[in-house]
Amino acid sequence: WDKAKPLFERLIAMDPSDDTGIMKAACWFNLSGDRKRAEELFGQALGKSPDDVWHYILAAGSYVGVSPF
């Protein structure tokens, strides 16, 4: 995770309009124990695409240990 975390941050910075990328990164943050950052990113992704049902499914799954696909 120590090597992957900066790559996820770079992904988010490179395309801040990619709500799916942000959501998947948020899931990995959550799965890796950084709940605060995960919830910030969940808010960003859901704010950009509040009607995307898969965003909610991915976020919920990350709270019970399910990796994003």
Side-chain angles (χ1 to χ4, degrees):
W1 176 244
D2 291 335
K3 291 181 181 181
K5 185 176 180 178
L7 298 176
F8 281 112
E9 292 291 2
R10 191 164 66 178
L11 165 83
I12 295 162
M14 287 176 62
D15 191 358
S17 66
D18 179 8
D19 54 291
T20 300
I22 293 170
M23 177 55 69
K24 289 183 178 184
C27 291
W28 285 112
F29 275 90
N30 204 24
L31 288 165
S32 299
D34 191 348
R35 187 172 178 174
K36 181 179 179 193
R37 181 65 174 139
E39 291 183 353
E40 291 170 1
L41 295 172
F42 288 147
Q44 284 182 31
L46 292 169
K48 293 177 188 307
S49 210
D51 296 327
D52 190 332
V53 173
W54 282 107
H55 284 359
Y56 294 94
I57 293 168
L58 289 171
S62 74
Y63 283 100
V64 294
V66 178
S67 301
F69 45 89

